Amino acid sequence: MLRTIRLHLLALHPTSPYRVARLVRIADQFEYILVGWPRDNWPQASRQAATMPTQAALLTSIATAKALLATPAAQQELQWRAVHKLLLESALHFL
């Protein structure tokens, strides 16, 4: 499921139709996966051999992204790109 989220993020461009709504849906799906992840099985290191953020930290990042997407500024390309990058970087910890 995380690979699918990553692929959807990579396929989404600033010129895509309904880009903000699609990004919100991806963030919702990502949040759903993280909330359901058993804490006992949380990875200790990312695939890139970097320190793995905590589940709470990633959920906070996603909540921030969703809050930013709810503002009118999300329609602006720069704001959209920042949120897109945040979600993509969060997903990369698992892949």
Side-chain angles (χ1 to χ4, degrees):
M1 289 178 73
L2 289 166
R3 284 191 177 110
T4 302
I5 286 175
R6 181 179 167 266
L7 290 175
H8 283 286
L9 284 168
L10 291 174
L12 192 57
H13 300 284
T15 57
S16 297
Y18 308 107
R19 68 183 184 270
V20 173
R22 291 171 66 189
L23 201 53
V24 168
R25 180 165 169 80
I26 291 168
D28 285 341
Q29 292 170 338
F30 196 12
E31 182 179 45
Y32 178 80
I33 292 168
L34 294 180
V35 166
W37 198 301
R39 290 184 185 212
D40 296 341
N41 293 338
W42 190 255
Q44 298 303 311
S46 72
R47 298 274 184 171
Q48 292 80 25
T51 303
M52 184 69 174
T54 65
Q55 186 177 22
L58 285 175
L59 287 170
T60 300
S61 293
I62 292 172
T64 300
K66 288 169 62 173
L68 290 171
L69 290 170
T71 66
Q75 296 296 328
Q76 298 173 357
E77 185 177 336
L78 261 161
Q79 179 75 22
W80 183 89
R81 283 185 185 269
V83 174
H84 182 263
K85 181 181 177 186
L86 173 72
L87 291 173
L88 189 58
E89 287 174 352
S90 295
L92 287 176
H93 287 289
F94 298 97
L95 307 171

